[in-house]
Amino acid sequence: MISDAIEHYHTLLHGSLLNDAIEKLLDGTVKHNLTFGGRPICTVLRPLFINETQYEYICRDSRLVLSAIERLGRALMADAKLRAELDLTADEEQIIAIEPGFVAPDTSGRLDAFLDSQGGFHFVEYNADSPGGLLYGDVLSEVFMGMNIVREFAQRFPLRRVDIRRQLLRTLLDSYRQWGSWGQQRPRIAIVDWNEVQTRAEFEICRQYFEAQGCPTIIVDPRELEYRGGWLRAGDFQINLVYKRVVVGELIARCGLNHPLVRAARERAVCVANSFRVQMLFKKTMFALLDDPAYEHLYRADEVASLRRHVPWTRKLREGFTTYRGRKIDLLDFLILHREQLVLKPNSDYGGRGVTLGWECDDEKWRQAIDDALGASFVVQERVELVQQSFPTLVGDDVKYEHRYVDFDPYTWGGEEVEGAGVRLSPSALLNVTAGGGSATPLLIVSR
């Protein structure tokens, strides 16, 4: 069905419908400043279509994986020996000890996944630390829904979008209610990240929406925050709720544990979402704990079944023996023999930094990558299938049909809900828009 939908969409993309699509995309990019590092966020003229049945299946099984992650998070907080597997620093141990005041530390999250050719999917990471891109995709879905070609297409294939802005604010307010009763008064929100980050336009989209819903909101750099008189402040603006977009590890590295935001959170003077406790869930070693049969006792049977379907084989990189598909292996020997099926990832980085794809390097470079990684904190993960789709792509003044790998990333909410997804496209197997060369496109669901 989806292949029919794509084919039909492409047959419509010509003449006035093509011109209107280009105009609306370019106008939307300028209006909402949908750029990253000076590049347009979206350079394609087709959304990712997914049918309602597959979308429901993805959401259902993603909720089981998310449930396992939440269960693992509670076990990690209760068991220092288990938590030692994450290689947390002393500062990280201190910051995760701060009680968030609400149940799920990951108010919003993103499960990074790849769809396969059989209609399944595989998760490779969990971006639990207030991931970016949610609002870009939300605005893009509105831009595309306003295109004449999408309206024409919907006459044959009815479509719907997921309202991410509403979902985000609703979940932030739910965490705030758990943190402390506020009656009828709306919180005063600070969106906190460095001034120099390249996602400022997304923060502005957030700010406008939050204020339209009655929540006074500012965008502030962590270095501009003060904690005085019992309030976290930015100038004269008193803050009740922080939408924390700054990455926990970067905040610790640049500002330390005596930062006003950390002190205010520790003294329960402000609600911080996502909480600092997501620094545990952010670690790539989480996937080794989810996949390794040695830890199955932590999860329910239905969660284990979903983990086996959707989480690739993952292990913490170290010398010694482990298991692979039920058999005992020497991990380092296995890595050397199976380079083309494996990926090395740093435990604590993001944005595609430090990742080595075994199939894209020779034996000598792979051995060197393993040697270097053994001196640090890394995981090794089995390669998952990547599928490509053809997308009409803006190349200068032309439109060319080019194949792109598709990264499909379900959004998580409050540690229990899954709704909506981010979509990233790339000609490279390292799908990350921040790494350069990629494109976002919105998700639109083809209704029954």
Side-chain angles (χ1 to χ4, degrees), residues 72-280:
L72 176 57
R74 292 191 292 272
L76 287 164
M77 284 304 302
D79 187 343
K81 183 178 179 181
L82 177 64
R83 198 164 64 247
E85 290 290 305
L86 301 180
D87 295 333
L88 296 173
T89 67
D91 283 351
E92 288 173 329
E93 283 281 356
Q94 288 191 53
I95 207 165
I96 68 168
I98 296 173
E99 175 58 49
F102 46 89
V103 176
D106 43 345
T107 298
S108 64
R110 190 184 72 216
L111 280 162
D112 292 357
F114 296 104
L115 304 176
D116 63 34
S117 59
Q118 306 303 313
F121 59 97
H122 301 280
F123 295 121
V124 293
E125 294 179 9
Y126 184 39
N127 191 332
D129 200 356
S130 303
L134 284 72
L135 282 300
Y136 285 139
D138 195 39
V139 169
L140 277 173
S141 69
E142 287 186 342
V143 170
F144 273 76
M145 290 293 275
M147 292 178 180
N148 292 338
I149 185 174
V150 173
R151 291 171 176 163
E152 177 72 20
F153 173 84
Q155 296 299 310
R156 179 172 170 185
F157 294 95
L159 296 169
R160 70 178 180 92
R161 60 180 289 272
V162 179
D163 190 336
I164 299 299
R165 275 166 286 189
R166 182 174 63 180
Q167 181 74 53
L168 173 62
L169 181 58
R170 184 171 64 188
T171 312
L172 285 169
L173 293 180
D174 186 54
S175 292
Y176 184 59
R177 289 188 190 97
Q178 293 178 46
W179 177 81
S181 176
W182 51 279
Q184 301 301 311
Q185 182 182 3
R186 288 285 193 174
R188 298 166 64 84
I189 301 174
I191 302 167
V192 177
D193 206 347
W194 313 110
N195 282 334
E196 62 268 24
V197 297
Q198 300 185 73
T199 48
R200 297 283 294 186
E202 185 182 17
F203 303 161
E204 184 59 29
I205 295 169
C206 267
R207 187 195 65 77
Q208 291 175 10
Y209 181 76
F210 291 174
E211 292 208 324
Q213 301 305 310
C215 299
T217 302
I218 61 167
I219 302 167
V220 61
D221 187 288
R223 294 163 292 197
E224 298 169 357
L225 292 171
E226 299 177 275
Y227 181 42
R228 54 184 170 83
W231 283 95
L232 184 70
R233 304 169 185 263
D236 295 330
F237 190 93
Q238 296 179 333
I239 302 163
N240 308 103
L241 172 61
V242 168
Y243 176 28
K244 185 189 66 57
R245 289 294 300 269
V246 62
V247 175
V248 175
E250 292 181 359
L251 181 67
I252 294 173
R254 296 174 66 171
C255 300
L257 295 179
N258 198 40
H259 185 269
L261 178 59
V262 180
R263 288 190 286 117
R266 186 183 292 118
E267 296 179 18
R268 289 187 60 81
V270 71
C271 177
V272 180
N274 291 0
S275 85
F276 296 121
R277 202 161 279 179
V278 293
Q279 187 65 5
M280 292 188 308

Side-chain angles (χ1 to χ4, degrees), residues 23 53 89 135 323 351 370 429:
E23 182 180 349
T53 300
T89 67
L135 282 300
T323 58
I370 293 171

Side-chain angles (χ1 to χ4, degrees), residues 288-316:
L289 301 179
L290 291 171
D291 175 63
D292 194 331
Y295 302 102
E296 280 188 359
H297 64 280
L298 296 173
Y299 316 115
R300 296 194 318 251
D302 57 346
E303 293 167 350
V304 170
S306 188
L307 291 172
R308 296 297 161 262
R309 285 192 295 271
H310 305 299
V311 173
W313 178 87
T314 310
R315 292 294 185 272
K316 187 175 180 179

Side-chain angles (χ1 to χ4, degrees), residues 373-387:
L374 280 169
S377 182
F378 272 71
V379 298
V380 58
Q381 191 171 75
E382 190 166 26
R383 179 182 187 176
V384 301
E385 178 188 0
L386 304 183
V387 297

Side-chain angles (χ1 to χ4, degrees), residues 339-352:
R339 167 179 60 80
E340 293 190 356
Q341 296 303 318
L342 299 171
V343 184
L344 280 175
K345 297 181 177 182
N347 183 36
S348 299
D349 218 330
Y350 68 100

